Amino acid sequence: MRAPPGRSPPSPSLPGAGPGSRSGPPRPQRAGPAATVPRRRPARSEMGRDMILVPILLLRLLAMAPSRAEGVAAVAEEVKIEVLHLPESCGPKSKKGDLLNAHYDGFLASDGSKFYCSRTQNEGHPKWFVLGVGQVIKGLDIAMMNMCPGEKRKVIIPPSLAYGQQGYAQGKIPPNATLIFEIELYAVNKGPRSVEAFNQIDKDRDRKLSELEISQYLKEEFARDGKKRHPSVHDEILADIFKKNDHDGDGFISAKEYNVYQHDEL
């Protein structure tokens, strides 16, 4: 379900990402008030190609800050949720910042017509997306909280939490449309920039990542994947990490700067 807009109406589909997907991590674009759509993949430089081979933990450091799903708690009651199937063992339950893998079908409540089916996209693979950060329409961010692998839900989302007054012509969604989604969740994984990832790099446990700590982490990951690289690649990646994440320029990446997905634990 990965998806909404960048100055244009959002789409319910998301680019593939995470384990089992070949299309890379989700890349959201800022959306209008009602929803959100994926960002286009940036052009890859030589350095970018090398970074792709670095494990996903490092790539998560380089990720751009996503748009935030604002006001989720305040409007949660507006999304109607019906649990169609709940597995006997329900865990872990999804929370904001988790990386989810799911299939879903979308219907117009007005006439029951189907406007989207994830099984017809990406060779039928389920969609990967980060929950609660605006990579899907706001109503889906709300509807999929506290959901466990194997669970199925039917949810009804009002226009204000979907595509609003503008609708989404490309997706055949008219203005002011109430939407119905049937969702099947397959996996709940630790999302980008998890507490575990931060603690793995923060060797001295001072709640901030130094240049030395990230440099050492890079060296360990390069050694682990066994690919030969020019020494300058290490320095280029390290500089890029701090350029994108050290917002106050103090030479450290604080827990706050790292926590762009607003994990409660950080």
Side-chain angles (χ1 to χ4, degrees), residues 247-259:
H247 303 303
D248 60 10
D250 66 351
F252 295 90
I253 297 174
S254 66
K256 183 177 181 181
E257 288 169 328
Y258 175 92
N259 192 24

Side-chain angles (χ1 to χ4, degrees), residues 67-178:
S67 58
R68 296 176 180 177
E70 298 160 355
V72 165
V75 293
E77 69 279 3
E78 296 182 31
V79 175
K80 296 180 181 179
I81 299 173
E82 178 186 355
V83 176
L84 302 177
H85 173 72
L86 189 67
E88 288 186 14
S89 176
C90 184
K93 289 191 175 182
S94 60
K95 63 184 183 302
K96 183 176 180 180
D98 282 344
L99 183 64
L100 306 189
N101 185 232
H103 265 315
Y104 59 99
D105 296 331
F107 306 85
L108 297 179
S110 58
D111 60 8
S113 61
K114 182 184 290 189
F115 64 83
Y116 182 76
C117 176
S118 63
R119 290 171 177 83
T120 65
Q121 307 290 320
N122 192 30
E123 298 181 343
H125 296 299
K127 305 297 181 181
W128 287 97
F129 66 98
V130 179
L131 182 65
V133 298
Q135 291 186 0
V136 293
I137 57 174
K138 193 174 291 185
L140 285 175
D141 267 335
I142 295 167
M144 295 189 67
M145 290 288 183
N146 298 310
M147 198 171 178
C148 55
E151 184 175 345
K152 297 179 182 180
R153 290 183 178 182
K154 179 178 180 180
V155 302
I156 301 175
I157 300 174
S160 62
L161 298 175
Y163 297 90
Q165 296 180 355
Q166 76 272 24
Y168 182 43
Q170 184 178 342
K172 299 181 180 179
I173 299 172
N176 298 310
T178 295

Side-chain angles (χ1 to χ4, degrees), residues 167-255:
Y168 182 43
Q170 184 178 342
K172 299 181 180 179
I173 299 172
N176 298 310
T178 295
L179 306 181
I180 298 173
F181 284 95
E182 293 181 358
I183 306 163
E184 182 173 5
L185 182 62
Y186 294 103
V188 177
N189 293 338
K190 292 290 184 183
R193 304 196 184 212
S194 66
V195 180
E196 291 82 1
F198 184 89
N199 290 338
Q200 182 180 350
I201 303 171
D202 183 24
K203 300 293 187 183
D204 61 8
R205 298 293 184 264
D206 63 354
R207 302 287 295 162
K208 57 186 178 182
L209 306 180
S210 68
E211 194 167 313
L212 180 61
E213 286 173 324
I214 295 178
S215 175
Q216 183 60 37
Y217 176 75
L218 278 174
K219 291 176 182 177
E220 291 170 0
E221 293 302 327
F222 285 166
R224 188 172 291 122
D225 78 12
K227 184 179 183 297
K228 290 185 178 180
R229 296 177 175 83
H230 190 278
S232 64
V233 171
H234 171 278
D235 296 336
E236 289 171 348
I237 293 177
L238 186 62
D240 193 50
I241 289 173
F242 275 85
K243 180 180 178 181
K244 291 180 177 177
N245 294 276
D246 182 18
H247 303 303
D248 60 10
D250 66 351
F252 295 90
I253 297 174
S254 66

